Amino acid sequence: MERPASPQMASSSPDSPCSCDCFVSVPPASAIPAVIFAKNSDRPRDEVQEVVFVPAGTHTPGSRLQCTYIEVEQVSKTHAVILSRPSWLWGAEMGANEHGVCIGNEAVWTKEPVGEGEALLGMDLLRLALERSSSAQEALHVITGLLERYGQGGSCLEDAAPFSYHSTFLLADRTEAWVLETAGRLWAAQRIQEGARNISNQLSIGTDISAQHPELRTHAQAKGWWDGQGAFDFAQIFSLTQQPVRMEAAKARFQAGRELLRQRQGGITAEVMMGILRDKESGICMDSGGFRTTASMVSVLPQDPTQPCVHFLTATPDPSRSVFKPFIFGVGVAQAPQVLSPTFGAQDPVRTLPRFQTQVDRRHTLYRGHQAALGLMERDQDRGQQLQQKQRDLEQEGLEATQGLLAGEWAPPLWELGSLFQAFVKRESQAYA
């Protein structure tokens, strides 16, 4: 894993590789009457991402909830969620809940300094919002409320050298999407009610601000970043004056992603989003130095509330050589054991102080099989092509089944829908065995 040069640099330097890309399509940009969400999670090359199902729960009033570093006050009821997360932390890089809310987050650096202390990670905020909201707008309120109360901070990498950043979020539900961008405890949000939108490790909200922190403008004026008279362009005012190399690379990916969405306006489907996430030329499908795309997700959120939302997750790195497998909330949903990493309890390096002094093997069963498969693809071209064809056939089967479901051509029993992801994970594991 590529390590930041020093703790002083690590806490605030965007030059260290860290990147993600999120996309959303809201009708009429979508080819079907559905909001379509997608994300690539780009993380340290050897970091394992697991897919975790957490059922809905009720909790004792006044109880506390342990997040990655700090405790927060628990709420009385939490929704069922499916999460794709780095296996060492509590939160998630991306996920969805039973009400059709999807969220992805990104790292960003602004003129506001990154806090040195431990607080909520952006990934913790993401999971908390999924567990506590039934719409994208409600999720936005959850995140901004927690941000105001607890702040954001703490190392975002499983590494002894701290590495911290602020967060941006793309939030979507069956009817709309929101972009939420933060600078410390301050924030601005933009509502997306039609068309396509993407975010890539930089502030992107200009003057089209739908909601904001009540002190956003007065703070910018007090700092001398805004004269109080001209147009209030959030990205221009809060972005770093000297953009580091990594931020410039993110700008190129943002522009490439926007163009890929523009080219498919009106015809965007789950497959189109998967194709964008697999685009290596743009850097959206990343494999650069110490970082790569470690997991990917695409969700179809039908506007018709009687239709189920379908979430496709890889649980493995490099979407160009991974299988997007369908998950649907329903009766009989349970954890797929093959995509769950081992746990280490109180001895976990994230729990013992000082943190991250040792390393543990967090690879889950599917990850191990997929690693072997990637090795075979690189060593033996013929067998590798056969294996990649198996991957494509399995993914196509999942796409066709869910398309039939949404078209009313396939009506399986509820228990079969609930176990769909488990079935596909099992078959992928068998293909690698």
Side-chain angles (χ1 to χ4, degrees):
M1 185 173 80
E2 206 168 275
R3 295 170 186 266
S6 71
Q8 290 74 29
M9 280 286 288
S11 63
S12 59
S13 171
D15 292 313
S16 301
C18 194
S19 50
C20 295
D21 298 280
C22 291
F23 304 86
V24 71
S25 171
V26 180
S30 307
I32 58 174
V35 173
I36 303 174
F37 167 93
K39 179 181 176 182
N40 266 356
S41 173
D42 302 334
R43 300 279 303 171
R45 166 172 292 280
D46 296 326
E47 184 179 77
V48 178
Q49 207 152 136
E50 60 182 352
V51 172
V52 181
F53 169 70
V54 184
T58 55
H59 310 282
T60 306
S63 61
R64 306 289 291 174
L65 173 65
Q66 178 66 52
C67 300
T68 302
Y69 298 124
I70 68 165
E71 285 187 349
V72 300
E73 192 174 328
Q74 181 59 289
V75 294
S76 59
K77 182 181 178 183
T78 51
H79 307 306
V81 296
I82 187 76
L83 306 170
S84 186
R85 70 177 189 190
S87 55
W88 61 271
L89 52 78
W90 182 85
E93 275 278 294
M94 51 201 170
N97 72 17
E98 59 186 306
H99 299 290
V101 179
C102 294
I103 311 177
N105 84 315
E106 314 246 338
V108 71
W109 291 266
T110 71
K111 289 177 182 174
E112 282 296 297
V114 176
E116 294 296 322
E118 292 183 342
L120 289 173
L121 296 179
M123 292 171 278
D124 292 338
L125 290 165
L126 185 154
R127 176 174 172 177
L128 287 163
L130 288 174
E131 291 187 342
R132 300 177 179 199
S133 63
S134 55
S135 71
Q137 189 170 19
E138 187 181 4
L140 183 147
H141 293 317
V142 169
I143 291 174
T144 56
L146 290 165
L147 193 60
E148 182 68 28
R149 183 170 180 184
Y150 297 102
Q152 56 181 325
S155 184
C156 302
L157 298 186
E158 188 182 13
D159 197 289
F163 184 76
S164 304
Y165 47 73
H166 293 156
S167 297
T168 65
F169 303 87
L170 185 59
L171 311 94
D173 60 26
R174 291 177 182 266
T175 60
E176 64 180 11
W178 285 81
V179 174
L180 170 61
E181 300 183 337
T182 72
R185 290 175 190 261
L186 302 173
W187 57 272
Q190 181 183 32
R191 191 176 199 171
I192 314 295
Q193 294 180 291
E194 62 176 26
R197 182 72 153 84
N198 61 310
I199 59 174
S200 298
N201 300 111
Q202 59 185 303
L203 299 181
S204 62
I205 298 174
T207 57
D208 186 9
I209 299 172
S210 308
Q212 64 190 313
H213 189 283
E215 297 171 13
L216 183 69
R217 294 179 189 232
T218 54
H219 180 83
Q221 199 168 355
K223 287 285 190 179
W225 302 337
W226 179 55
D227 63 8
Q229 302 297 319
F232 189 84
D233 185 313
F234 176 70
Q236 189 175 56
I237 292 166
F238 278 86
S239 291
L240 291 163
T241 308
Q242 292 285 97
Q243 290 286 5
V245 175
R246 295 298 302 186
M247 299 285 273
E248 288 298 326
K251 189 183 295 183
R253 288 199 332 277
F254 174 73
Q255 292 168 345
R258 185 170 59 184
E259 177 61 20
L260 288 167
L261 289 173
R262 188 197 65 77
Q263 291 171 4
R264 304 304 294 266
Q265 281 271 3
I268 296 173
T269 61
E271 297 99 308
V272 167
M273 286 296 200
M274 290 173 189
I276 291 173
L277 297 184
R278 286 170 166 147
D279 192 280
K280 287 186 178 287
E281 186 179 351
S282 64
I284 290 169
C285 181
M286 175 169 285
D287 192 345
S288 173
F291 268 50
R292 67 174 170 182
T293 299
T294 55
S296 305
M297 173 179 169
V298 173
S299 294
V300 180
L301 315 174
Q303 291 182 315
D304 180 351
T306 65
Q307 293 188 326
C309 297
V310 183
H311 312 284
F312 296 91
L313 301 110
T314 61
T316 54
D318 188 353
S320 71
R321 297 185 292 177
S322 286
V323 179
F324 283 93
K325 300 167 282 294
F327 175 93
I328 297 175
F329 286 95
V331 177
V333 174
Q335 176 66 49
Q338 300 93 332
V339 293
L340 193 64
S341 292
T343 56
F344 301 91
Q347 302 309 308
D348 195 300
V350 72
R351 289 274 156 260
T352 55
L353 297 176
R355 304 189 199 278
F356 309 126
Q357 299 302 300
T358 58
Q359 293 187 332
V360 291
D361 187 351
R362 301 188 189 274
R363 293 176 298 167
H364 51 69
T365 304
L366 184 66
Y367 186 96
R368 290 174 180 272
H370 184 261
Q371 275 192 313
L374 292 187
L376 180 64
M377 289 175 192
E378 288 160 8
R379 285 193 317 273
D380 188 328
Q381 189 174 3
D382 289 341
R383 289 177 66 197
Q385 285 178 346
Q386 291 171 12
L387 193 52
Q388 201 153 15
Q389 189 58 50
K390 283 185 180 180
Q391 288 182 325
R392 292 289 164 268
D393 291 345
L394 185 60
E395 180 176 287
Q396 189 60 34
E397 188 180 330
L399 282 164
E400 289 174 2
T402 52
Q403 286 165 356
L405 176 70
L406 297 178
E409 298 163 358
W410 180 50
L414 290 177
W415 65 264
E416 190 173 337
L417 282 184
S419 61
L420 197 61
F421 183 72
Q422 290 169 276
F424 273 84
V425 167
K426 184 177 181 180
R427 288 175 60 191
E428 185 183 1
S429 294
Q430 289 170 342
Y432 300 149

